[in-house]
């Protein structure tokens, strides 16, 4: 049985008292074992990162950026290989896996600009003979804890910026699909990143909790479900660390009566079922504003009928779910929705997969006539289950979205600029798409939601990323002329 090693201080270590199983979800069989780090291994990884921190922080930003440039080139060359690794453990189709690598690479490109991004400010002669300037210094050792659904992209939201800023990292990827993180670490090593600057440690709650409480971990970047994000934020904050914790989502796509319905139906199906709905920016609720509900649903149904579910290495549209347990959980919502009175227009359990019978299959499913008190509406299902809620007006649509506990992404489909502008200004959601169903910001902007979709102040990547991974320092300097004499006044700075 293949064992997926940790990477600690440039060495591959596969020890650990406990192990987990890694599956190929398209065949439903175990393909590897992954060691679960104990607190002792967390100590080793943090010690390696802490030891590497002073040297890396003292390395010029030009040399750090040069590593990022090489990393970006090398990972681009390995993109197809990394996509195959992702598909083999996550299940998403190869094209989607390649897209995730490309979006991650955008952040690496952004981090290549660190000589500019990390510049401080300078105010000459701010007071008489006094100059004031600011520095952005690295924090030290930071932990990055990532979810299963983007095993390459989410680590790449944080690691390139963290290391380009001069920090060292312990990355704890999801134990469900841990291999992509190893490819990223190996590529950084090939690009010349010194040993100990990026360490990959596998594991579960035990490893995470050891990182959250470790006195030498200075900051934590977390992405995952809302209950765990809340726990990570509370625990790491109580331990005095800087923390950003991105959580779950329930993303609404509002379709206004004047929208182009074919465009809206294409978008709803693409954003609802891409990656089998296992995206934090997936559309999970279509809000149909009267009177277009019937027409929109029939166009969505027609498109679903053309989708193929199957092994992501084949010519299919969506792959399997990540684990058997997750499949059971998602499927249970189909029963719950029916029991609550929603209309199951398309039942994904009847789909015939193009793949091994033991794969974790569920085809696209569509609920109509969903009400806001049903669990299919209130809960993040995180699978290929799209819900349609019908509302009488645009105001009612806005109220629905704003009353939802999550606020990650949302979209509005309309041809009316005033409608779009009102929505963009009044919706309580962090990322808004106007005729764009999955508005994941490009790398120079930052990614993050509102409400229960994020805990902490700074969002991921973009300038927020640089702020998160640096500590500001302001220096006030004077190079004295011959002694001016003692002056006890408080503000002599004029
Ligand atoms: P998860 O919360 O189960 O796991 C995320 C990470 O936390 C993993 O590394 C896991 O090992 C660790 N973990 C799990 N249980 C833990 C516990 N009890 N204590 C400490 N650590 C624990 O999430 P997941 O199922 O891997 O990923 C899917 C979730 O992530 C969805 O809710 C999705 O919306 C969310 N997500 C959010 C974003 C975003 O940007 N907001 C992006 C991607 C995914």
């Amino acid at each position: 049985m293949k064992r997926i090693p940790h990477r600690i201080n440039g060495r591959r270590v596969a020890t650990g008292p406990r192990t987990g199983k890694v599956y190929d979800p398209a065949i439903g069989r175990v393909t590897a074992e992954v060691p679960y780090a104990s607190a002792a291994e967390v100590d080793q990884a943090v010690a390696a990162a802490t030891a590497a921190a002073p040297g890396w922080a003292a390395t010029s930003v030009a040399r750090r950026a040069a590593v990022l440039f090489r990393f970006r080139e090398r990972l681009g060359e390995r993109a197809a290989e990394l996509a195959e690794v992702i598909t083999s453990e996550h299940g998403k189709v190869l094209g989607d896996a390649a897209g995730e690598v490309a979006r991650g690479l955008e952040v690496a490109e952004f981090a290549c600009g660190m000589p500019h991004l990390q510049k401080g400010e300078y105010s000459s002669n701010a007071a008489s003979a006094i100059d004031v300037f600011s520095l952005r210094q690295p924090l030290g050792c930071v932990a990055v804890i990532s979810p299963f659904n983007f095993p390459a992209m989410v680590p790449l939201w944080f690691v390139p910026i963290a290391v380009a800023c001069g920090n060292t990292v312990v990355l704890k990827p999801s134990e469900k699909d841990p291999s992509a993180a190893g490819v990223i670490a190996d590529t950084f090593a090939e690009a010349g990143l010194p040993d100990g600057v990026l360490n990959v440690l596998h594991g579960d709650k035990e490893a995470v909790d050891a990182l959250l409480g470790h006195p030498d971990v200075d900051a934590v970047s977390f992405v995952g479900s809302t209950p765990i994000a809340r726990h990570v934020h509370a625990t790491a904050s109580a331990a005095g660390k800087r923390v950003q914790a991105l959580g779950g989502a329930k993303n609404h796509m509002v379709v206004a009566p004047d929208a182009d319905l074919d465009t809206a139906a294409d978008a709803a199906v693409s954003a609802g079922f891409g990656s089998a709905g296992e995206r934090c920016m997936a559309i999970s609720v279509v809000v149909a504003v009267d009177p277009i509900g019937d027409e929109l649903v029939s166009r969505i149904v027609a498109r679903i009928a053309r989708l193929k579910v199957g092994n992501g290495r084949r010519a299919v549209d969506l792959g399997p779910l990540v684990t058997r347990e997750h499949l059971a959980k998602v499927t249970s919502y189909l029963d719950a929705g029916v029991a609550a009175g929603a209309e199951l227009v398309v039942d994904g359990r009847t789909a015939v997969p193009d793949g091994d019978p033991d794969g974790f299959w569920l085809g696209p499913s569509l609920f109509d006539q969903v009400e806001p008190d049903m669990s299919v509406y209130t809960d993040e299902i995180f699978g290929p289950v799209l819900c349609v809620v019908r509302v009488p007006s645009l105001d009612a649509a806005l109220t629905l979205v704003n009353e939802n506990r999550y606020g990650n992404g949302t979209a509005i489909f309309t041809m009316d600029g005033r409608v779009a502008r009102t929505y963009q200004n009044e919706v309580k959601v962090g990322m808004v798409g106007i005729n764009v169903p999955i508005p994941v910001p490009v790398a120079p902007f930052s990614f993050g939601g509102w409400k229960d979709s994020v805990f902490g102040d700074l969002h991921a990547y973009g300038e927020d990323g640089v702020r998160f991974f640096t500590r500001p320092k302001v220096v006030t300097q004077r190079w004295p002329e011959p002694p001016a004499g003692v002056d006890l006044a408080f503000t002599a700075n004029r």
Side-chain angles (χ1 to χ4, degrees):
M1 177 67 66
K2 186 174 91 174
R3 257 197 165 208
I4 298 164
H6 310 296
R7 268 84 171 168
I8 301 177
N9 210 16
R11 285 180 302 109
R12 294 172 176 227
V13 192
T15 54
R18 296 181 302 125
T19 58
K21 293 180 170 56
V22 178
Y23 286 82
D24 181 335
I27 57 173
R29 282 195 287 278
V30 178
T31 54
E33 269 186 345
V34 61
Y36 285 177
S38 64
E41 278 128 354
V42 170
D43 275 345
Q44 284 174 25
V46 174
T50 307
W56 184 240
T59 302
S60 75
V61 66
R63 285 182 196 277
R64 284 188 253 128
V67 172
L68 262 295
F69 272 106
R70 287 194 294 271
F71 171 75
R72 196 251 163 238
E73 286 310 301
R74 187 73 190 108
L75 196 68
E77 289 159 13
R78 295 182 74 173
E81 174 200 341
L82 180 53
E84 275 174 34
V85 168
I86 294 168
T87 296
S88 70
E89 294 182 356
H90 176 284
K92 65 177 72 177
V93 302
L94 276 174
D96 200 36
E100 127 162 43
V101 175
R103 291 308 301 261
L105 277 171
E106 273 182 23
V107 181
E109 271 167 27
F110 174 78
C112 289
M114 200 50 71
H116 174 73
L117 294 163
Q118 206 170 356
K119 277 188 324 204
E121 294 167 319
Y122 194 98
S123 183
S124 172
N125 228 13
S128 299
I130 286 184
D131 304 324
V132 181
F133 57 94
S134 63
L135 312 174
R136 289 178 161 198
Q137 296 188 314
L139 307 175
C141 162
V142 304
V144 174
I145 300 160
S146 56
F148 83 82
N149 67 317
F150 283 111
M153 185 183 78
V154 170
L156 289 171
W157 281 357
F158 302 107
V159 174
I161 297 180
V163 299
C165 287
N167 299 284
T168 59
V169 178
V170 177
L171 166 62
K172 207 300 285 174
S174 169
E175 64 276 37
K176 291 175 187 148
D177 46 12
S179 293
V183 175
I184 291 170
D186 294 348
T187 310
F188 261 117
E190 289 168 24
L193 194 72
D195 289 348
V197 175
L198 172 58
N199 306 275
V200 177
L201 199 68
H202 301 295
D204 60 357
K205 178 177 170 53
E206 185 176 337
V208 172
D209 285 344
L211 284 167
L212 301 182
H214 201 295
D216 293 334
V217 171
D218 295 291
V220 178
S221 294
F222 173 90
V223 179
S225 58
T226 287
I228 312 299
R230 200 190 296 276
H231 159 72
V232 165
H233 183 256
T235 312
S237 301
K241 301 183 195 317
R242 183 177 291 201
V243 50
Q244 52 181 184
L246 283 67
K250 195 82 180 176
N251 304 312
H252 296 64
M253 172 175 148
V254 175
V255 184
D258 72 314
D260 181 281
L261 292 189
D262 282 321
T263 304
D266 283 344
V269 170
S270 307
F273 302 117
S275 197
E278 293 170 327
R279 289 183 184 141
C280 63
M281 289 290 275
I283 291 296
S284 44
V285 182
V286 171
V287 186
V289 180
D290 286 347
I292 48 107
D294 288 349
E295 190 52 38
L296 182 62
V297 167
S298 86
R299 291 181 199 212
I300 291 175
V301 170
R303 284 160 174 78
I304 290 177
R306 296 197 287 270
L307 294 182
K308 280 194 226 145
V309 57
N311 188 320
R313 301 157 180 102
R314 301 182 188 170
V316 297
D317 299 293
L318 60 155
L321 292 176
V322 68
T323 58
R324 190 170 279 119
E325 295 71 28
H326 190 54
L327 171 64
K329 181 180 158 207
V330 173
T331 308
S332 75
Y333 279 102
L334 298 181
D335 294 328
V338 170
E343 189 185 328
L344 186 55
V345 184
V346 182
D347 184 343
R349 290 171 290 200
T350 62
V352 181
D354 179 4
D356 192 291
D358 291 332
F360 308 141
W361 308 115
L362 181 64
S365 301
L366 183 70
F367 274 118
D368 193 5
Q369 306 293 352
V370 170
E371 297 292 337
D373 61 348
M374 297 176 178
S375 66
V376 288
Y377 177 79
T378 55
D379 298 2
E380 181 184 40
I381 300 175
F382 220 57
V385 181
L386 188 59
C387 294
V388 178
V389 178
R390 297 178 181 225
V391 294
S393 64
L394 283 161
D395 281 350
L398 185 63
T399 303
L400 180 79
V401 179
N402 283 349
E403 286 180 351
N404 193 279
R405 60 187 282 237
Y406 296 108
N408 213 40
T410 186
I412 184 161
F413 278 69
T414 177
M415 299 305 282
D416 184 331
R418 278 181 307 173
V419 167
R421 200 158 177 276
T422 301
Y423 191 76
Q424 135 212 315
N425 287 338
E426 296 188 10
V427 75
K428 293 176 180 158
V429 172
M431 293 171 282
V432 181
I434 297 173
N435 298 315
V436 172
I438 304 191
V440 173
V442 293
F445 290 82
S446 298
F447 181 108
W450 286 15
K451 299 187 274 185
D452 278 3
S453 295
V454 79
F455 302 89
D457 303 318
L458 291 170
H459 287 178
Y461 66 79
E463 292 210 2
D464 269 15
V466 180
R467 276 188 211 105
F468 185 81
F469 288 119
T470 54
R471 222 185 317 245
K473 183 183 276 180
V474 180
V475 180
T476 303
Q477 77 172 4
R478 169 160 58 194
W479 297 104
E481 298 292 323
V486 173
D487 180 355
L488 297 194
F490 179 53
T491 57
N493 290 353
R494 286 186 194 283

